[in-house]
């Protein structure tokens, strides 16, 4: 059928989690880190360029090449007008560009789901564009401080030639990034690229996760539970590498009690200890991340949740856009086809010697099917295009699914057929709405 990418199966694409992996993902969910780092780098580049300019002037003066120094002074005086114009216009340019971008993001969140805003926040080109824009503005201001009022080639101390060239290069780079940024922002307003981006994030989660091993190994009895001590919020992810290391030091097995995406409050048990040892509070520090929103870093069902939300909004009477719902169903079926044979259940994370140190529950097959189909099925009754696409997707999955995983699919197909037969009185309309079609109404 060609739905799956081959991710998520044990031994294919799985990489052992690294200690800094959650931190990297959290920084990607922020919009301040890249611009701040860029501004710090600007000072380093400016210091190096100004030092090089000073070396050039000092060398020419030492060689008594005063005519060459005078030529450099004339060149940078001409470039000063350009640098001044850049420094005065760049902040206005930044304000206009990102004001328009925020309007586009608001339109996308209103048309799809508020959760698509995170796509803009995590966009590399958006962060790179803002970083380069701000860096160009700051660098041009720093260059203006280097112009020497003394025009005597024997007394001048610095001629910002290299710095002016760097400013020109940064302006050209800003213009190129502006073109790419506008293109990326326009794609954010189109349903196809948005659902494709969500689907790709879901497949990346599969690539980071080993297959489930439910019931493959028995745990020793539970000795104690560790409660959540931080703020209330959604369990975004856990630092698997640190938890595995802490469990290995004490010779125990840790079990994550809530699932990724669950809402936890202070005092809620989050970790169960199986064994005699007890990891110290310091060893478990910064291992559980709680925030206000779910993220796709380790959340297997978050992609399906977003696709379902977009489809539901498209099927609402205020929007009435069944084609968007069909596009979401395409990706939902693609995702489910990729995990149809994947072992699900309790994921066992192991240490370097192969011993199980962390057990983490992930959604079962039935949970994923319900998440992808349940709500869309209820609102698909009034749209033949959606009901036909949903039936075609379920039929495809029934061909791929082993016998043990067909029950949830058969259940949703039966409920959809019953709902259409109960709602649509005309026999011809019922027959049309219940005819599987991969394009909805192709």
């Amino acid at each position: 059928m060609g739905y799956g990418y081959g991710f998520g199966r044990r031994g294919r694409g799985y990489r052992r989690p690294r200690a800094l992996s959650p931190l990297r993902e959290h920084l990607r969910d922020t919009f301040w880190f890249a611009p701040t780092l860029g501004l710090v780098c600007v000072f380093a580049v400016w210091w190096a360029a100004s030092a090089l300019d000073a070396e050039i002037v000092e060398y020419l003066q030492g060689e008594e090449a005063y005519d060459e120094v005078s030529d450099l002074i004339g060149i940078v005086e001409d470039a000063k007008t350009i640098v001044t114009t850049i420094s005065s216009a760049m902040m206005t340019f930044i304000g206009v560009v990102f004001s328009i971008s925020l309007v586009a993001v608001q339109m996308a969140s209103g048309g799809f789901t508020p959760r698509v805003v995170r796509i803009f926040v995590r966009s590399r080109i958006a962060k790179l564009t803002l970083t380069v824009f701000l860096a160009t503005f700051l660098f041009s201001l720093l260059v203006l401080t280097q112009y020497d009022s003394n025009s005597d080639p024997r007394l001048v101390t610095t001629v910002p030639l290299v710095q002016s060239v760097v400013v020109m290069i940064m302006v050209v780079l800003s213009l190129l990034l502006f073109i790419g940024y506008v293109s990326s922002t326009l794609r954010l307003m189109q349903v196809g690229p948005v659902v494709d981006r969500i689907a790709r994030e879901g497949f990346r989660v599969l690539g980071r996760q080993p297959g489930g091993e439910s019931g493959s190994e028995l745990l020793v009895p539970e000795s104690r539970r560790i409660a959540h001590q931080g703020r209330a919020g959604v369990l975004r992810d856990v630092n698997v590498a640190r938890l595995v290391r802490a469990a290995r030091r004490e010779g125990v097995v840790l079990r994550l009690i809530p699932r990724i995406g669950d809402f936890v409050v202070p005092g809620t048990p989050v970790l169960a200890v199986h064994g005699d040892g007890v990891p110290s509070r310091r060893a478990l520090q910064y291992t559980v991340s709680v925030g206000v929103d779910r993220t796709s870093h380790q959340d297997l069902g978050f992609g399906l949740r977003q696709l379902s939300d977009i489809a539901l909004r498209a099927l609402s009477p205020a929007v009435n856009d069944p084609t968007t719902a069909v596009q979401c169903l395409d990706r939902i079926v693609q995702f489910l086809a990729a995990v149809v044979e994947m072992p699900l259940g309790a994921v066992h994370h192991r240490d370097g010697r192969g011993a199980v140190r962390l057990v983490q529950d992930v959604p079962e097959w039935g949970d994923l099917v319900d998440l992808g189909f349940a709500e869309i099925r209820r609102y698909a009754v009034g749209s033949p295009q959606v009901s036909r696409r949903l039936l075609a997707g379920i039929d495809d999955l029934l061909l791929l699914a082993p016998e043990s995983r067909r029950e949830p699919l058969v259940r949703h197909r039966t409920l959809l057929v019953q709902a259409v037969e109960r709602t649509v009185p005309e026999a011809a309309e019922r027959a049309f709405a219940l005819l599987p079609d991969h394009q909805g109404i192709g």
Side-chain angles (χ1 to χ4, degrees):
M1 290 294 178
Y3 288 112
Y5 288 178
F7 294 138
R9 291 169 175 79
R10 189 172 182 83
R12 294 184 60 187
Y14 172 67
R15 296 177 296 177
R16 189 179 300 277
R18 299 177 180 178
L20 294 179
S21 180
L23 176 61
R24 181 183 60 192
E25 291 297 323
H26 295 169
L27 291 177
R28 285 198 62 191
D29 285 329
T30 66
F31 212 78
W32 60 266
F33 178 73
T36 303
L37 181 62
L39 294 180
V40 173
C41 293
V42 162
F43 281 98
V45 173
W46 170 73
W47 180 83
S50 61
L52 182 58
D53 283 328
E55 289 289 338
I56 293 174
V57 172
E58 183 179 353
Y59 172 77
L60 293 176
Q61 290 175 339
E63 296 293 328
E64 297 185 353
Y66 299 116
D67 291 338
E68 286 77 1
V69 176
S70 298
D71 292 339
L72 293 181
I73 294 175
I75 293 173
V76 297
E77 284 297 326
D78 294 336
K80 183 178 181 180
T81 303
I82 301 176
V83 175
T84 304
T85 303
I86 292 171
S87 63
S88 61
M90 185 56 70
M91 281 305 295
T92 303
F93 182 62
I94 293 173
V96 172
V97 170
F98 280 88
S99 296
I100 297 174
S101 301
L102 292 178
V103 173
V105 171
Q106 184 178 11
M107 292 176 62
S109 64
F112 302 136
T113 172
R115 277 155 288 282
V116 302
V117 176
R118 63 183 303 277
I119 297 179
F120 176 80
V121 173
R122 291 174 63 89
S123 172
R124 288 188 175 94
I125 190 170
K127 296 176 183 178
L128 181 60
T129 301
L130 178 61
T131 300
V132 174
F133 283 4
L134 292 176
T136 303
F137 171 70
L138 178 59
F139 196 88
S140 62
L141 292 181
L142 294 174
V143 172
L144 289 176
T145 64
Q146 294 296 295
Y147 285 95
D148 199 330
S149 58
N150 193 337
S151 60
D152 188 344
R154 293 177 175 79
L155 302 177
V156 69
T157 58
T158 180
V159 178
L161 175 65
V162 176
Q163 299 171 67
S164 299
V165 172
V166 173
V167 171
M168 304 304 176
I169 294 174
M170 295 180 70
V171 170
V172 174
L173 180 59
S174 298
L175 295 176
L176 294 176
L177 284 174
F178 172 69
I179 297 173
Y181 175 72
V182 170
S183 175
S184 175
T185 304
L186 291 177
R187 287 175 60 84
L188 182 62
M189 302 175 65
Q190 304 174 36
V191 63
V194 170
V195 298
D196 179 71
R197 176 71 175 270
I198 294 172
R200 289 180 180 274
E201 287 185 348
F203 283 117
R204 277 195 288 269
V205 178
L206 291 180
R208 300 189 189 107
Q209 179 176 283
E213 303 177 28
S214 181
S216 62
E217 294 187 27
L218 296 178
L219 298 176
V220 298
E222 179 182 318
S223 60
R224 64 170 297 177
R225 292 191 170 190
I226 300 175
H228 173 57
Q229 301 295 330
R231 61 175 181 172
V234 176
L235 180 60
R236 299 191 299 177
D237 53 42
V238 295
N239 195 318
V240 174
R242 288 176 61 91
L243 287 173
V244 168
R245 185 163 60 245
R248 183 188 60 203
R249 289 174 180 170
E250 301 298 329
V252 298
V253 178
L254 298 176
R255 178 170 56 86
L256 185 65
I257 298 174
R259 284 182 180 176
I260 301 297
D262 287 355
F263 191 87
V264 296
V265 298
T268 301
V270 291
L271 290 171
V273 181
H274 294 261
D276 296 331
V278 179
S280 65
R281 185 173 298 276
R282 182 178 181 180
L284 297 179
Q285 196 173 17
Y286 306 117
T287 57
V288 176
S289 175
V290 173
V292 295
D293 289 316
R294 295 170 68 175
T295 64
S296 61
H297 176 42
Q298 296 175 358
D299 197 337
L300 188 60
F302 187 49
L304 291 177
R305 176 70 274 163
Q306 294 179 86
L307 293 172
S308 179
D309 287 346
I310 295 174
L312 291 176
R313 179 162 297 195
L315 292 174
S316 66
V319 178
N320 196 22
D321 182 14
T323 303
T324 294
V326 167
Q327 290 181 274
C328 293
L329 281 172
D330 291 339
R331 299 300 181 172
I332 290 174
V333 173
Q334 178 189 14
F335 185 86
L336 293 176
V339 300
V340 67
E341 295 181 352
M342 177 180 173
L344 299 171
V347 173
H348 292 180
H349 298 281
R350 302 170 183 270
D351 59 17
R353 299 180 179 179
V356 176
R357 293 303 179 187
L358 175 64
V359 179
Q360 176 185 353
D361 283 336
V362 299
E364 298 279 359
W365 166 253
D367 300 328
L368 296 176
V369 173
D370 291 341
L371 182 57
F373 290 150
E375 293 177 305
I376 298 177
R377 172 180 52 77
R378 294 192 60 185
Y379 293 94
V381 177
S383 175
Q385 182 179 357
V386 180
S387 63
R388 287 158 64 99
R389 178 62 185 98
L390 183 54
L391 287 171
I394 293 176
D395 290 345
D396 286 345
L397 292 173
L398 285 171
L399 295 176
L400 297 174
E403 188 65 32
S404 60
R405 292 193 170 180
R406 293 182 178 178
E407 187 277 329
L409 299 171
V410 173
R411 172 166 49 86
H412 281 288
R413 196 184 199 287
T414 302
L415 290 173
L416 177 59
V417 171
Q418 291 175 351
V420 172
E421 291 177 343
R422 184 173 57 251
T423 305
V424 181
E426 295 83 2
E429 290 290 341
R430 287 199 303 270
F432 182 80
L434 295 177
L435 181 64
D437 188 337
H438 287 90
Q439 295 186 29
I441 301 178

